[in-house]
Amino acid sequence: MTKHGKAFLPSKVCQACGRPFTWRKKWARVWGDVRYCSERCRRVRRPEPVQSGKNTFGKPFR
C-alpha cells in the first residue's frame, strides 16, 4: 500500500515572489496555466521572475 500526502503533490515557483507553492484541487483543470501562488501575487505581477529567497513585499519571511 502506498502512502499519499502533501509531499507527493506537484509544485511550482511563484513568478512574483519566488516562493514555492503546491498543487491545489481548485487548480486541477488549469494547473498548466497557474503562475502565481496567491491573488496578491497575481495582482502585483512582476514583469520578470524574482530570484528565490528575495522578499518583494517588505515583510520578513517566516
Side-chain angles (χ1 to χ4, degrees):
M1 187 171 182
T2 61
K3 292 185 178 182
H4 298 284
K6 291 185 179 184
F8 299 104
L9 294 175
S11 63
K12 293 184 177 185
V13 176
C14 178
Q15 290 184 359
C17 68
R19 294 180 184 174
F21 63 98
T22 57
W23 182 90
R24 295 183 186 172
K25 188 173 182 177
K26 70 179 185 178
W27 293 334
R29 293 183 182 171
V30 293
W31 179 244
D33 299 329
V34 175
R35 299 185 303 177
Y36 305 103
C37 63
S38 65
E39 280 295 315
R40 181 178 181 178
C41 284
R42 187 184 63 79
R43 281 188 236 117
V44 172
R45 293 188 189 193
R46 301 274 187 252
E48 51 195 57
V50 176
Q51 292 181 358
S52 182
K54 290 190 177 180
N55 187 348
T56 59
F57 295 117
K59 293 183 180 179
F61 288 141
R62 291 188 216 173

